[in-house]
Amino acid sequence: MGINGLFADSKGGQTLMVGLILVAACFYAGTLFANNTPLLGIPTSSSASSSTSSLGSLSFTNRVSQTNRRTPLAIPQSGMNVCPINLNEHIPCHDPSYVKDLLPSLDLSRKEELERHCPPLEKRLFCLVPPPKDYKIPIKWPISRDYVWRSNVNHTHLAEVKGGQNWVHEKDRLWWFPGGGTHFKHGALEYIQRLGNMTTNETGDLRNAGVFQVLDVGCGVASFGAYLLPFDIQTMSFAPKDGHENQIQFALERGIGAMIAAISTKQLPYPTSSFDMVHCSRCRVDWHENDGILLREVDRLLRPDGYFVYSAPPAYRKDKDYPVIWDKLMNITTAMCWKLIAKKVQTAIWIKPGDQTCVQENVEQNLIQICDVADDSKPSWNKPLHNCVTKSGEISNPNKLPPRPERLSVYSESLSRLGISREQFATDTLFWQRQVEQYWMLMNVNKTEIRNVMDMNALWGGFAAALNSYPVWVMNVVPSTMDDTLTAIYGRGLLGAFHDWCEPFSTYPRSYDLLHASYLFSHNKGHNNNCLLEDVMLEMDRMLRPEGFIIIRDEERIMSRIKDLAPKFLWDVNSYQLRNKHNENESVLICRKKFWAIV
């Protein structure tokens, strides 16, 4: 039985319960999972850390020291310094202490403080982020959907304030996720079925409504996305780093695709016309403010005939100022030609029109403006929001696209505009299928050992497509300095984001089990001389879980440099020869992060 089947039917549910009972019995015996004892212990005292220390047969010389990035950059002979333990959750571009200094210059009325704010190089830390005390190798998928180690995300706020809504509960040494949410405290499955009924006039589920890819705004612990997986619906979940303490960290620890983001003053880092549904369940976004500019961003992201699901008090309450807010929402959505197709049980659903006739009429009546086409052709990275409507992209009807796995082979016309032929696309797809098989053989791990994967230079999404039969999810990252191939990746039914790798990614430390970087370093070097290889390696280490893998392909001189530096980052590294797309030998580095801790 596949993982999706395990979650989908009652028999699978019974199987899962049996599995959970076994898990509970084995947690304290320590027999179910990998060794949870760090192989390296790094002393905190200056006297101890200045000399070689060891645990077992391993030795190291790294020191605990909060170190800032300096120019020129130099790594100590003793190896990368290790940040103090209090920085175990450090997220460079979402650092409250740095944002605090920026507050006078930020538009707090639009919650700009929740967006990315990356410090300049000289103010960035340049030390390895340590795991927290008593960190354990994460529980494996699919059990991790419901249970994670308490010590890995040792924060109680969400359990205290959201326990009554069944977000998360404390169970001894574990966190338990019953699958609830603010508007579905009795479980996400019932809520998902209700949305399916509302979008199909009571005749089917969300897949029948043409929903294959969802954007979950203000996702909480991402239970909505987790329970869409049995339907093979892919969800990009995001939430800001705000008062809902560590919600994205919980989601990633569970093995659910998520990232830190806020919809405020800039476009979200996703392509136009990428989602069949945008979901907001009490997402704490003021959609009615600023002339509806945030809903214009939703319109940009939605495909034609896509849905906006809004489960929040203005959709059902008549007290306070909720009726006024509702009227504003109706005025904004009507101007964009959205149609309200259902409103019941605390939820309202609009559909974006597939026909542009109404939009053109409203433009002529000066009710809305059309965005500049040239502006929309650039990657959505650090671009300000525009109070205009984006013309629909090439996907005119999501129902015309086949479901997965057939959809993984869909060739996007956006690739044709970039000069990439169908033959090149097909060759790339086959190439990565062969490479993935060889990668897993060389890593010598079971498929279940890896869940959270990032392709740091995803190109056309071939690597992620090749992982379709594996129990993983993949964050496909297209560098913002490259052509927009992310549109084609979404067209294949995959997920991802734009990013500039000269800046840290918007995620928590220890988010991923596997990072894949194919010719990323050489691309960075060609576009930004200030973006050094060591900076990217440091960010890789921050994002990677202990005992996680990094697979690197690049120019030989870059590979040689990484091999020299890897031990200083406390990585094991092995070099292999594989065939490249031209059927020639090419070096591939497989690095593995050691499991170390401050003692």
Side-chain angles (χ1 to χ4, degrees), residues 256-360:
I256 303 166
M259 64 182 291
I260 300 170
I263 182 167
S264 177
T265 69
K266 294 185 176 69
Q267 289 184 356
L268 292 168
Y270 316 121
T272 297
S273 298
S274 295
F275 297 98
D276 308 309
M277 174 180 284
V278 174
H279 174 256
C280 164
S281 175
R282 195 73 76 94
C283 62
R284 309 210 303 181
V285 174
D286 295 325
W287 301 108
H288 62 288
E289 297 287 3
N290 298 298
D291 198 28
I293 194 170
L294 300 183
L295 281 176
R296 305 279 196 266
E297 174 66 355
V298 172
D299 186 83
R300 180 185 75 83
L301 295 169
L302 276 176
R303 290 173 175 146
D305 298 318
Y307 304 94
F308 177 58
V309 176
Y310 181 67
S311 297
Y316 60 91
R317 288 179 58 173
K318 304 299 182 183
D319 58 332
K320 300 182 179 180
D321 58 349
Y322 294 130
V324 175
I325 294 174
W326 177 256
D327 288 342
K328 289 183 178 181
L329 290 174
M330 287 301 299
N331 290 336
I332 295 165
T333 54
T334 300
M336 294 189 296
C337 297
W338 290 9
K339 180 181 178 182
L340 182 66
I341 61 168
K343 183 185 178 187
K344 63 180 181 180
V345 195
Q346 303 183 349
T347 298
I349 301 180
W350 286 267
I351 188 170
K352 175 182 174 178
D355 187 341
Q356 296 290 294
T357 303
C358 171
V359 173
Q360 189 58 45

Side-chain angles (χ1 to χ4, degrees), residues 182-436:
T182 303
H183 276 274
F184 45 93
K185 64 181 181 180
H186 298 300
L189 281 178
E190 182 273 335
Y191 176 70
I192 289 168
Q193 184 59 54
R194 188 195 325 150
L195 297 184
N197 290 336
M198 293 173 71
T199 52
T200 61
N201 196 24
E202 309 292 331
T203 62
D205 59 25
L206 288 176
R207 284 175 60 87
N208 298 129
V211 176
F212 296 98
Q213 287 158 296
V214 173
L215 181 66
D216 191 11
V217 181
C219 63
V221 295
S223 287
F224 182 66
Y227 282 84
L228 284 172
L229 285 174
F231 301 92
D232 205 9
I233 294 174
Q234 309 300 305
T235 305
M236 174 63 75
S237 301
F238 79 85
K241 188 175 185 293
D242 61 4
H244 280 171
E245 192 176 65
N246 296 69
Q247 51 193 329
I248 294 300
Q249 190 177 21
F250 276 115
L252 290 163
E253 187 72 14
R254 297 174 71 187
I256 303 166
M259 64 182 291
I260 300 170
I263 182 167
S264 177
T265 69
K266 294 185 176 69
Q267 289 184 356
L268 292 168
Y270 316 121
T272 297
S273 298
S274 295
F275 297 98
D276 308 309
M277 174 180 284
V278 174
H279 174 256
C280 164
S281 175
R282 195 73 76 94
C283 62
R284 309 210 303 181
V285 174
D286 295 325
W287 301 108
H288 62 288
E289 297 287 3
N290 298 298
D291 198 28
I293 194 170
L294 300 183
L295 281 176
R296 305 279 196 266
E297 174 66 355
V298 172
D299 186 83
R300 180 185 75 83
L301 295 169
L302 276 176
R303 290 173 175 146
D305 298 318
Y307 304 94
F308 177 58
V309 176
Y310 181 67
S311 297
Y316 60 91
R317 288 179 58 173
K318 304 299 182 183
D319 58 332
K320 300 182 179 180
D321 58 349
Y322 294 130
V324 175
I325 294 174
W326 177 256
D327 288 342
K328 289 183 178 181
L329 290 174
M330 287 301 299
N331 290 336
I332 295 165
T333 54
T334 300
M336 294 189 296
C337 297
W338 290 9
K339 180 181 178 182
L340 182 66
I341 61 168
K343 183 185 178 187
K344 63 180 181 180
V345 195
Q346 303 183 349
T347 298
I349 301 180
W350 286 267
I351 188 170
K352 175 182 174 178
D355 187 341
Q356 296 290 294
T357 303
C358 171
V359 173
Q360 189 58 45
E361 290 175 352
N362 285 1
V363 169
E364 294 171 359
Q365 296 178 37
N366 293 321
L367 297 177
I368 52 173
Q369 293 180 326
I370 295 293
C371 298
D372 185 357
V373 176
D375 182 70
D376 190 55
S377 65
K378 303 171 185 175
S380 302
W381 178 253
N382 276 341
K383 291 171 62 174
L385 291 177
H386 297 297
N387 204 357
C388 53
V389 173
T390 303
K391 282 191 174 181
S392 298
E394 65 183 71
I395 302 174
S396 59
N397 188 340
N399 292 301
K400 293 181 180 179
L401 286 171
R404 289 161 56 103
E406 293 83 2
R407 191 168 182 172
L408 295 169
S409 301
V410 168
Y411 171 78
S412 169
E413 290 303 319
S414 65
L415 293 179
S416 176
R417 292 193 290 271
L418 297 175
I420 300 160
S421 68
R422 290 180 181 272
E423 291 73 20
Q424 289 174 297
F425 176 78
T427 299
D428 181 80
T429 299
L430 291 174
F431 171 76
W432 287 114
Q433 289 174 358
R434 294 192 297 268
Q435 299 307 299
V436 162

